[in-house]
Coordinates of all heavy atoms in Angstrom, one line a residue:
Chain A
H68 N -86.2 -7.1 7.0 CA -86.0 -5.9 7.9 C -84.9 -4.9 7.3 O -84.2 -5.3 6.5 CB -85.6 -6.4 9.4 CG -86.9 -7.0 10.0 ND1 -86.7 -7.4 11.3 CD2 -88.0 -7.4 9.8 CE1 -87.9 -8.0 11.7 NE2 -88.8 -8.0 10.7
R69 N -85.0 -3.8 7.9 CA -84.1 -2.8 7.3 C -82.5 -3.1 7.4 O -81.8 -3.0 6.4 CB -84.3 -1.4 8.0 CG -83.3 -0.3 7.7 CD -83.3 0.0 6.2 NE -84.6 0.5 5.7 CZ -85.0 0.5 4.4 NH1 -84.1 0.3 3.4 NH2 -86.2 1.0 4.1
T70 N -82.2 -3.7 8.5 CA -80.7 -4.1 8.7 C -80.4 -5.1 7.5 O -79.3 -5.2 7.0 CB -80.4 -4.6 10.0 OG1 -81.4 -5.7 10.4 CG2 -80.4 -3.5 11.1
E71 N -81.4 -6.1 7.4 CA -81.1 -7.1 6.3 C -81.1 -6.5 4.9 O -80.2 -6.9 4.0 CB -82.2 -8.1 6.5 CG -82.1 -9.0 7.8 CD -83.4 -9.5 8.2 OE1 -84.5 -9.2 7.6 OE2 -83.5 -10.3 9.1
Q72 N -82.0 -5.6 4.6 CA -82.1 -4.9 3.4 C -80.8 -4.2 3.1 O -80.3 -4.1 1.9 CB -83.3 -4.0 3.2 CG -83.4 -3.2 2.1 CD -83.5 -4.1 0.8 OE1 -84.1 -5.3 0.8 NE2 -82.8 -3.9 -0.3
T73 N -80.2 -3.4 4.1 CA -79.0 -2.8 3.8 C -77.9 -3.7 3.5 O -77.0 -3.5 2.6 CB -78.7 -2.1 5.1 OG1 -79.7 -1.1 5.5 CG2 -77.4 -1.2 5.0
A74 N -77.8 -4.8 4.3 CA -76.7 -5.8 4.0 C -76.9 -6.4 2.5 O -76.0 -6.6 1.8 CB -76.9 -6.9 5.0
L75 N -78.3 -6.8 2.2 CA -78.5 -7.3 0.7 C -78.1 -6.2 -0.2 O -77.4 -6.6 -1.3 CB -80.0 -7.8 0.7 CG -80.4 -8.8 1.5 CD1 -82.0 -9.0 1.5 CD2 -79.9 -10.2 0.9
A76 N -78.6 -5.1 -0.2 CA -78.4 -4.0 -1.1 C -76.9 -3.8 -1.5 O -76.5 -3.5 -2.6 CB -79.1 -2.7 -0.8
A77 N -76.1 -4.1 -0.4 CA -74.6 -3.6 -0.6 C -73.9 -4.7 -1.6 O -72.8 -4.5 -2.0 CB -73.9 -3.8 0.8
V78 N -74.5 -5.9 -1.7 CA -73.7 -7.0 -2.4 C -74.6 -7.7 -3.6 O -74.1 -8.4 -4.4 CB -73.3 -8.1 -1.5 CG1 -72.0 -7.6 -0.8 CG2 -74.4 -8.6 -0.5
Q79 N -75.9 -7.3 -3.6 CA -76.7 -8.2 -4.6 C -76.5 -7.7 -6.0 O -76.2 -6.5 -6.2 CB -78.2 -8.2 -4.2 CG -79.0 -6.9 -4.3 CD -80.2 -6.9 -3.6 OE1 -80.6 -8.0 -3.0 NE2 -80.9 -5.7 -3.6
E80 N -76.7 -8.7 -6.9 CA -76.5 -8.4 -8.2 C -77.9 -8.6 -9.1 O -78.6 -9.4 -8.5 CB -75.5 -9.2 -9.0 CG -74.1 -8.8 -8.6 CD -73.5 -7.6 -9.3 OE1 -74.1 -7.2 -10.2 OE2 -72.5 -7.2 -8.9
S81 N -78.1 -8.1 -10.2 CA -79.3 -8.4 -11.0 C -79.0 -9.3 -12.1 O -77.9 -9.5 -12.5 CB -79.7 -7.1 -11.6 OG -80.1 -6.1 -10.7
P82 N -80.1 -10.0 -12.5 CA -79.8 -10.9 -13.6 C -79.4 -10.2 -14.8 O -79.6 -8.8 -15.0 CB -81.3 -11.4 -13.9 CG -82.0 -11.3 -12.6 CD -81.3 -10.1 -12.0
G83 N -78.7 -10.8 -15.8 CA -78.3 -10.2 -17.0 C -76.8 -10.0 -17.2 O -76.3 -9.5 -18.2
R84 N -75.9 -10.5 -16.3 CA -74.5 -10.4 -16.3 C -74.1 -11.3 -17.4 O -74.5 -12.5 -17.5 CB -73.8 -10.7 -15.0 CG -74.1 -9.7 -14.0 CD -73.7 -10.3 -12.5 NE -74.3 -11.5 -12.1 CZ -74.0 -12.1 -11.1 NH1 -73.1 -11.9 -10.2 NH2 -74.7 -13.3 -10.7
P85 N -73.2 -10.8 -18.3 CA -72.8 -11.7 -19.5 C -72.2 -13.0 -19.0 O -72.4 -14.1 -19.7 CB -71.7 -10.8 -20.0 CG -72.0 -9.5 -19.6 CD -72.5 -9.5 -18.4
E86 N -71.4 -13.1 -18.0 CA -70.8 -14.3 -17.5 C -71.8 -15.4 -16.9 O -71.6 -16.5 -16.6 CB -69.8 -14.0 -16.4 CG -70.0 -13.6 -15.1 CD -70.3 -12.1 -15.1 OE1 -70.4 -11.5 -16.0 OE2 -70.2 -11.5 -13.9
A87 N -73.0 -14.9 -16.4 CA -74.0 -15.7 -15.8 C -74.7 -16.5 -16.9 O -76.0 -16.1 -17.3 CB -74.9 -14.8 -14.9
T88 N -74.2 -17.5 -17.4 CA -74.7 -18.4 -18.5 C -75.6 -19.6 -17.9 O -76.0 -20.3 -18.7 CB -73.6 -18.7 -19.5 OG1 -72.7 -19.5 -18.6 CG2 -73.0 -17.6 -20.1
C89 N -75.5 -19.8 -16.6 CA -76.4 -20.9 -15.9 C -77.5 -20.1 -15.2 O -77.4 -19.0 -14.7 CB -75.5 -21.6 -15.0 SG -74.1 -22.5 -15.7
A90 N -78.7 -20.8 -15.3 CA -79.9 -20.3 -14.6 C -80.6 -21.4 -13.9 O -80.5 -22.6 -14.3 CB -80.6 -19.4 -15.5
A91 N -81.5 -21.0 -13.0 CA -82.5 -21.9 -12.4 C -83.8 -21.2 -12.2 O -83.7 -20.0 -11.9 CB -81.9 -22.5 -11.0
L92 N -84.8 -21.8 -12.6 CA -86.2 -21.2 -12.3 C -86.9 -22.3 -11.3 O -87.0 -23.6 -11.8 CB -87.0 -21.2 -13.7 CG -88.5 -20.8 -13.6 CD1 -88.6 -19.4 -13.0 CD2 -89.2 -20.9 -14.9
I93 N -87.3 -21.8 -10.1 CA -87.8 -22.7 -9.1 C -89.2 -22.2 -8.8 O -89.3 -21.3 -8.0 CB -86.8 -22.8 -8.1 CG1 -85.4 -23.2 -8.5 CG2 -87.4 -23.8 -6.9 CD1 -84.5 -23.7 -7.3
P94 N -90.3 -22.8 -9.3 CA -91.6 -22.5 -9.0 C -91.9 -23.2 -7.6 O -91.6 -24.3 -7.6 CB -92.4 -23.1 -10.1 CG -91.5 -23.5 -11.3 CD -90.2 -23.7 -10.5
I95 N -92.6 -22.5 -6.9 CA -92.9 -23.1 -5.4 C -94.4 -22.7 -5.1 O -94.8 -21.7 -5.3 CB -91.9 -22.5 -4.4 CG1 -90.6 -23.4 -4.4 CG2 -92.5 -22.5 -3.1 CD1 -89.6 -22.9 -3.3
T96 N -95.0 -23.7 -4.5 CA -96.3 -23.5 -3.9 C -96.2 -23.9 -2.4 O -95.7 -24.9 -2.1 CB -97.4 -24.3 -4.6 OG1 -97.4 -23.9 -5.9 CG2 -98.7 -24.0 -3.9
K97 N -96.6 -23.0 -1.6 CA -96.7 -23.3 -0.1 C -98.1 -23.9 0.4 O -99.0 -23.7 -0.4 CB -96.2 -22.1 0.7 CG -94.7 -21.9 0.6 CD -94.2 -20.7 1.6 CE -92.7 -20.7 1.6 NZ -92.2 -19.4 2.3
S98 N -98.1 -24.5 1.6 CA -99.4 -25.2 1.8 C -100.3 -24.1 2.5 O -99.9 -23.0 2.9 CB -99.0 -26.2 3.0 OG -98.4 -25.5 4.1
A99 N -101.6 -24.6 2.6 CA -102.6 -23.9 3.3 C -102.1 -23.5 4.6 O -102.4 -22.3 5.3 CB -103.9 -24.6 3.4
A100 N -101.4 -24.4 5.3 CA -100.9 -24.0 6.7 C -100.0 -22.8 6.8 O -100.1 -22.2 7.7 CB -100.2 -25.3 7.3
W101 N -99.3 -22.8 5.7 CA -98.3 -21.6 5.7 C -99.1 -20.3 5.6 O -98.9 -19.3 6.4 CB -97.3 -21.7 4.5 CG -96.5 -20.4 4.3 CD1 -96.8 -19.5 3.4 CD2 -95.3 -20.0 4.9 NE1 -95.8 -18.5 3.5 CE2 -95.1 -18.8 4.4 CE3 -94.6 -20.6 6.1 CZ2 -93.8 -18.1 4.9 CZ3 -93.5 -19.9 6.5 CH2 -93.1 -18.7 5.9
W102 N -100.0 -20.3 4.7 CA -100.9 -19.1 4.5 C -101.9 -18.7 5.6 O -102.3 -17.6 5.7 CB -101.6 -19.2 3.1 CG -100.6 -19.2 2.0 CD1 -100.4 -20.3 1.3 CD2 -99.7 -18.2 1.6 NE1 -99.3 -20.0 0.3 CE2 -98.8 -18.8 0.5 CE3 -99.4 -16.9 2.0 CZ2 -97.8 -18.0 -0.1 CZ3 -98.4 -16.2 1.3 CH2 -97.7 -16.8 0.3
A103 N -102.0 -19.6 6.5 CA -103.0 -19.5 7.7 C -102.1 -18.9 8.7 O -102.7 -18.4 9.8 CB -103.6 -20.8 8.1
L104 N -100.9 -19.0 8.7 CA -100.0 -18.3 9.7 C -100.2 -16.8 9.7 O -100.3 -16.3 8.6 CB -98.4 -18.7 9.6 CG -98.1 -20.1 9.7 CD1 -96.6 -20.3 9.4 CD2 -98.5 -20.7 11.0
T105 N -99.9 -16.3 10.9 CA -100.0 -14.7 10.8 C -98.6 -14.2 10.5 O -97.7 -15.0 10.5 CB -100.4 -14.2 12.2 OG1 -99.6 -14.9 13.2 CG2 -101.9 -14.5 12.5
Q106 N -98.5 -12.9 10.3 CA -97.3 -12.3 9.9 C -96.2 -12.7 10.9 O -95.0 -13.0 10.4 CB -97.4 -10.9 9.6 CG -96.0 -10.1 9.3 CD -95.6 -10.4 7.8 OE1 -96.5 -10.8 6.9 NE2 -94.3 -10.4 7.7
D107 N -96.4 -12.4 12.1 CA -95.2 -12.8 13.1 C -94.8 -14.2 13.1 O -93.6 -14.5 13.2 CB -95.7 -12.3 14.5 CG -96.9 -12.9 14.9 OD1 -97.9 -13.2 14.2 OD2 -97.1 -13.1 16.2
E108 N -95.9 -15.1 12.9 CA -95.5 -16.3 12.8 C -94.6 -16.9 11.6 O -93.7 -17.7 11.6 CB -96.7 -17.4 12.9 CG -97.4 -17.3 14.2 CD -98.9 -17.9 14.2 OE1 -99.4 -18.0 13.2 OE2 -99.3 -18.3 15.3
R109 N -95.1 -16.3 10.4 CA -94.3 -16.5 9.2 C -93.0 -15.9 9.2 O -92.0 -16.8 8.8 CB -95.1 -16.1 7.9 CG -96.2 -16.9 7.5 CD -97.0 -16.5 6.3 NE -98.1 -15.5 6.6 CZ -98.1 -14.2 6.4 NH1 -97.1 -13.6 5.8 NH2 -99.1 -13.5 6.8
R110 N -92.8 -14.8 9.8 CA -91.4 -14.3 9.8 C -90.5 -15.1 10.8 O -89.4 -15.3 10.4 CB -91.5 -12.8 10.5 CG -90.2 -12.2 11.1 CD -89.2 -11.8 9.9 NE -88.0 -11.6 10.6 CZ -86.9 -11.0 10.1 NH1 -86.9 -10.7 8.8 NH2 -85.7 -11.0 10.7
A111 N -91.2 -15.6 11.9 CA -90.3 -16.5 12.8 C -89.8 -17.7 12.2 O -88.7 -18.2 12.3 CB -91.1 -16.8 14.1
V112 N -90.6 -18.4 11.4 CA -90.3 -19.6 10.5 C -89.2 -19.1 9.5 O -88.2 -19.8 9.4 CB -91.4 -20.2 10.0 CG1 -91.1 -21.3 9.0 CG2 -92.6 -20.8 11.0
F113 N -89.6 -18.1 8.7 CA -88.9 -17.7 7.6 C -87.4 -17.3 7.9 O -86.4 -17.8 7.3 CB -89.5 -16.6 6.9 CG -88.9 -16.0 5.6 CD1 -89.2 -16.6 4.5 CD2 -88.0 -14.9 5.7 CE1 -88.6 -16.0 3.2 CE2 -87.5 -14.4 4.5 CZ -87.8 -15.0 3.3
E114 N -87.3 -16.4 9.0 CA -85.9 -15.9 9.2 C -85.3 -16.5 10.6 O -84.2 -16.9 10.7 CB -85.8 -14.5 9.1 CG -84.5 -13.8 9.1 CD -83.6 -14.4 7.9 OE1 -84.1 -14.9 6.9 OE2 -82.4 -14.4 8.1
D115 N -86.1 -16.2 11.6 CA -85.6 -16.5 13.0 C -85.2 -18.0 13.1 O -84.2 -18.3 13.7 CB -86.7 -16.2 14.1 CG -87.2 -14.8 14.0 OD1 -86.6 -13.9 13.3 OD2 -88.2 -14.5 14.7
R116 N -86.0 -18.9 12.4 CA -85.6 -20.3 12.6 C -85.2 -20.9 11.3 O -84.6 -22.0 11.4 CB -86.9 -21.0 13.1 CG -87.5 -20.4 14.3 CD -88.1 -21.5 15.3 NE -89.5 -21.9 14.7 CZ -90.7 -21.2 14.8 NH1 -90.7 -20.3 15.7 NH2 -91.8 -21.7 14.3
S117 N -85.3 -20.3 10.2 CA -84.9 -21.0 8.9 C -83.8 -20.1 8.2 O -83.1 -20.6 7.2 CB -86.0 -21.2 7.9 OG -87.0 -22.0 8.5
A118 N -83.5 -18.9 8.7 CA -82.3 -18.1 8.2 C -82.5 -17.9 6.8 O -81.2 -18.1 6.1 CB -81.1 -18.6 8.8
H119 N -83.6 -17.7 6.2 CA -83.8 -17.7 4.6 C -82.9 -16.5 4.1 O -82.1 -16.7 3.1 CB -85.2 -17.5 4.2 CG -85.4 -17.7 2.9 ND1 -86.6 -18.6 2.4 CD2 -84.8 -17.1 1.7 CE1 -86.4 -18.5 1.0 NE2 -85.5 -17.6 0.7
I120 N -83.0 -15.4 4.7 CA -82.2 -14.2 4.3 C -80.8 -14.3 4.5 O -80.0 -14.1 3.6 CB -82.7 -12.9 4.9 CG1 -84.4 -12.6 4.5 CG2 -81.9 -11.7 4.5 CD1 -85.0 -11.6 5.3
A121 N -80.4 -14.8 5.7 CA -79.0 -14.7 6.1 C -78.3 -15.9 5.2 O -77.1 -15.6 4.8 CB -78.8 -15.2 7.6
T122 N -79.0 -17.0 4.9 CA -78.3 -18.0 4.0 C -78.1 -17.5 2.6 O -77.1 -17.6 2.0 CB -79.3 -19.3 4.0 OG1 -79.3 -19.8 5.4 CG2 -78.7 -20.3 3.0
G123 N -79.2 -16.9 2.1 CA -79.1 -16.3 0.7 C -77.9 -15.2 0.6 O -77.3 -15.2 -0.3
L124 N -77.8 -14.4 1.8 CA -76.7 -13.5 1.6 C -75.3 -14.1 1.6 O -74.6 -13.4 1.0 CB -76.9 -12.7 3.1 CG -76.0 -11.4 3.3 CD1 -76.4 -10.4 2.2 CD2 -76.5 -10.8 4.6
R125 N -75.2 -15.2 2.0 CA -73.8 -15.8 2.0 C -73.4 -16.2 0.6 O -72.2 -16.4 0.3 CB -73.8 -17.0 2.8 CG -73.9 -16.9 4.3 CD -73.2 -18.1 5.1 NE -73.5 -19.4 4.6 CZ -74.5 -20.1 5.1 NH1 -75.4 -19.6 5.9 NH2 -74.8 -21.4 4.6
Y126 N -74.4 -16.2 -0.3 CA -74.1 -16.6 -1.8 C -74.2 -15.4 -2.6 O -74.2 -15.6 -3.9 CB -75.1 -17.7 -2.2 CG -75.0 -19.0 -1.4 CD1 -75.6 -19.2 -0.2 CD2 -74.0 -19.9 -1.8 CE1 -75.5 -20.3 0.5 CE2 -73.9 -21.2 -1.0 CZ -74.5 -21.2 0.2 OH -74.3 -22.4 0.9
L127 N -74.2 -14.3 -2.1 CA -74.2 -13.0 -2.9 C -72.7 -12.5 -3.0 O -72.0 -12.6 -2.0 CB -75.0 -12.0 -2.3 CG -76.5 -12.3 -2.3 CD1 -77.2 -11.0 -1.7 CD2 -77.1 -12.5 -3.7
P128 N -72.3 -11.9 -4.1 CA -73.0 -11.7 -5.3 C -73.0 -12.7 -6.4 O -73.5 -12.5 -7.4 CB -72.2 -10.4 -5.8 CG -70.8 -10.6 -5.3 CD -70.9 -11.3 -4.2
A129 N -72.4 -14.0 -6.0 CA -72.3 -15.0 -7.0 C -73.6 -15.2 -7.7 O -73.7 -15.5 -8.9 CB -71.7 -16.1 -6.4
I130 N -74.6 -15.4 -6.9 CA -76.0 -15.9 -7.3 C -76.9 -14.6 -7.5 O -77.2 -14.0 -6.5 CB -76.6 -16.9 -6.5 CG1 -75.6 -18.0 -6.0 CG2 -77.8 -17.4 -7.0 CD1 -75.3 -18.9 -7.1
A131 N -77.4 -14.2 -8.7 CA -78.3 -13.2 -8.9 C -79.7 -13.8 -8.8 O -79.8 -14.9 -9.2 CB -78.2 -12.4 -10.3
R132 N -80.6 -13.0 -8.2 CA -82.0 -13.7 -8.0 C -83.1 -12.6 -8.2 O -82.8 -11.5 -7.9 CB -81.9 -14.0 -6.4 CG -83.2 -14.5 -5.8 CD -83.0 -14.6 -4.4 NE -84.3 -14.8 -3.6 CZ -85.1 -13.8 -3.1 NH1 -84.8 -12.6 -3.4 NH2 -86.3 -14.2 -2.5
R133 N -84.1 -13.1 -8.8 CA -85.3 -12.2 -8.9 C -86.6 -13.0 -8.4 O -86.8 -14.1 -9.0 CB -85.5 -11.6 -10.3 CG -86.6 -10.4 -10.3 CD -86.5 -9.8 -11.6 NE -86.9 -10.7 -12.6 CZ -86.3 -10.8 -13.8 NH1 -85.3 -10.0 -14.2 NH2 -86.7 -11.7 -14.7
L134 N -87.3 -12.6 -7.5 CA -88.4 -13.1 -6.9 C -89.6 -12.6 -7.7 O -89.9 -11.4 -7.7 CB -88.5 -13.0 -5.4 CG -89.8 -13.6 -4.8 CD1 -89.9 -15.2 -5.0 CD2 -89.8 -13.2 -3.3
H135 N -90.6 -13.5 -8.1 CA -91.9 -13.1 -8.7 C -93.0 -13.7 -7.9 O -93.1 -14.9 -7.5 CB -92.0 -13.6 -10.1 CG -90.7 -13.3 -11.0 ND1 -89.6 -14.0 -10.8 CD2 -90.5 -12.3 -11.9 CE1 -88.7 -13.6 -11.7 NE2 -89.1 -12.6 -12.2
H136 N -94.0 -12.9 -7.5 CA -95.1 -13.3 -6.7 C -96.3 -13.6 -7.6 O -96.6 -12.9 -8.6 CB -95.6 -12.3 -5.8 CG -94.6 -11.8 -4.7 ND1 -94.6 -12.3 -3.4 CD2 -93.5 -11.0 -4.8 CE1 -93.6 -11.7 -2.8 NE2 -92.9 -11.0 -3.6
C137 N -97.0 -14.8 -7.4 CA -97.9 -15.3 -8.2 C -99.3 -15.6 -7.6 O -100.3 -15.7 -8.3 CB -97.4 -16.6 -9.0 SG -95.7 -16.6 -9.5
R138 N -99.2 -16.0 -6.4 CA -100.4 -16.4 -5.7 C -101.6 -15.5 -5.8 O -102.7 -16.1 -6.1 CB -100.0 -16.6 -4.1 CG -101.3 -17.1 -3.3 CD -100.8 -17.4 -1.8 NE -101.9 -17.6 -1.0 CZ -102.6 -18.7 -0.7 NH1 -102.2 -19.8 -1.3 NH2 -103.6 -18.8 0.0
D139 N -101.4 -14.2 -5.7 CA -102.6 -13.3 -5.8 C -103.0 -13.1 -7.2 O -103.9 -12.4 -7.4 CB -102.3 -12.0 -5.1 CG -102.3 -12.2 -3.5 OD1 -102.8 -13.2 -3.1 OD2 -101.9 -11.2 -2.9
L140 N -102.3 -13.7 -8.0 CA -102.7 -13.6 -9.6 C -103.6 -14.8 -10.0 O -104.0 -14.9 -11.2 CB -101.4 -13.6 -10.5 CG -100.5 -12.4 -10.1 CD1 -99.3 -12.5 -11.1 CD2 -101.1 -11.0 -10.2
G141 N -103.8 -15.7 -9.1 CA -104.6 -16.9 -9.4 C -103.7 -17.9 -10.3 O -104.3 -18.8 -10.9
E142 N -102.4 -17.9 -10.1 CA -101.5 -18.9 -10.8 C -101.4 -20.1 -10.2 O -101.7 -20.2 -9.0 CB -100.2 -18.1 -10.9 CG -100.0 -16.9 -11.9 CD -100.1 -17.4 -13.3 OE1 -99.2 -18.2 -13.8 OE2 -100.9 -16.8 -14.2
P143 N -100.8 -21.1 -10.8 CA -100.7 -22.4 -10.3 C -99.6 -22.3 -9.1 O -99.7 -23.3 -8.3 CB -100.2 -23.3 -11.4 CG -99.8 -22.4 -12.5 CD -100.5 -21.2 -12.3
F144 N -98.6 -21.5 -9.3 CA -97.6 -21.5 -8.2 C -97.7 -20.2 -7.4 O -98.2 -19.3 -7.8 CB -96.2 -21.6 -8.8 CG -95.9 -22.9 -9.5 CD1 -96.0 -23.0 -11.0 CD2 -95.5 -24.1 -8.8 CE1 -95.7 -24.2 -11.6 CE2 -95.3 -25.3 -9.4 CZ -95.5 -25.3 -10.8

Side-chain angles (χ1 to χ4, degrees):
Chain A
H68 288 186
R69 176 56 61 191
T70 49
E71 295 156 349
Q72 178 55 37
T73 302
L75 289 166
V78 285
Q79 69 196 354
E80 290 279 356
S81 296
R84 293 173 293 179
E86 70 273 23
T88 56
C89 296
L92 174 62
I93 305 194
I95 277 183
T96 300
K97 283 181 168 171
S98 64
W101 172 261
W102 296 110
L104 296 178
T105 51
Q106 177 68 28
D107 55 330
E108 292 170 335
R109 279 183 275 109
R110 163 75 196 187
V112 173
F113 182 88
E114 192 59 24
D115 304 350
R116 300 207 292 276
S117 301
H119 191 133
I120 298 165
T122 298
L124 190 56
R125 293 209 312 272
Y126 296 87
L127 299 181
I130 313 292
R132 169 185 172 276
R133 191 173 61 224
L134 174 64
H135 312 79
H136 296 260
C137 324
R138 180 175 166 87
D139 284 347
L140 305 181
E142 287 283 310
F144 295 102

